[in-house]
Amino acid sequence: TSLINFIGAMAVSFLVRAFYVRYSYSLTGKSHIGSVLPILTGIVFLVILVMKSSLALSLGLVGALSIVRYRGAIKEPEELTYLFLAIAIGLGFGANQGTITIAAFLIILLVIFLQKKYFVKNFNSNNGMILSLNYSQSQIKKFPAITDIIKKNVSKFELRRYSDKENVIEAVFFIEADKPNQISKLSTDLKNFEE
């Protein structure tokens, strides 16, 4: 049954990957995070299988995992949600709870799909693009003026990420422009503002 559960876990994780790549609003490389999801599910399945089989092995595994730090440059809650879903699938199948895992997985995907379709406002990705701005801590007072320039030059914009690290501020905007000349005008205005 372990082999059947493993095959089921991997099949479901590839569905999660396909769903993530198709419906995610992530700003980072979708295929990069997507390719990690089945691997993560398989690893969690293996961990649970080992922990079930032997108390000594599970204690050793917990000790080994406490040494390892699993860090990544993940800043978006959506990415974390999909990673956690992949972990939950591995846990469910590893604990021999395949039926309830598949049922919960399908309900979760339905909820995500309905949220994206009806409740979450997002710009049309065909016309949208990412604008990333980096500036020093001393230029923080310029931020309202920068957003005014963006607002003046594009049809729609949304601040997607704002981070303040090591005296460098990063702001990532999702913008939509109706005409190509809006982007060139925005670029010119931002350059002139910096000078």
Side-chain angles (χ1 to χ4, degrees), residues 126-137:
N126 295 333
N127 299 327
M129 60 187 69
I130 303 301
L131 172 66
S132 179
L133 302 173
N134 295 311
Y135 46 96
S136 68
Q137 186 77 33

Side-chain angles (χ1 to χ4, degrees), residues 91-191:
L91 284 170
F93 278 97
N96 203 19
Q97 299 292 321
T99 306
I100 190 70
T101 302
I102 291 173
F105 161 74
L106 292 173
I107 292 168
I108 289 167
L109 284 194
L110 179 65
V111 168
I112 292 170
F113 177 76
L114 292 174
Q115 272 191 323
K116 302 269 184 200
K117 190 162 177 104
Y118 298 110
F119 302 113
V120 178
K121 290 170 70 177
N122 191 54
F123 301 136
N124 183 353
S125 58
N126 295 333
N127 299 327
M129 60 187 69
I130 303 301
L131 172 66
S132 179
L133 302 173
N134 295 311
Y135 46 96
S136 68
Q137 186 77 33
S138 60
Q139 296 175 305
I140 186 67
K141 293 179 182 176
K142 294 183 176 181
F143 189 72
I146 290 170
T147 55
D148 287 342
I149 290 171
I150 295 169
K151 188 187 295 186
K152 183 178 79 175
N153 284 293
V154 298
S155 310
K156 296 177 183 175
F157 81 102
E158 178 182 287
L159 179 65
R160 286 287 182 90
R161 183 183 299 159
Y162 183 89
S163 66
D164 179 3
K165 280 197 246 179
E166 300 171 4
N167 297 325
V168 175
I169 294 172
E170 178 191 22
V172 177
F173 296 90
F174 189 85
I175 61 173
E176 268 192 11
D178 293 331
K179 301 172 186 172
N181 66 339
Q182 286 179 306
I183 300 302
S184 59
K185 175 99 168 51
L186 172 62
S187 177
T188 304
D189 287 356
L190 285 172
K191 284 178 186 172

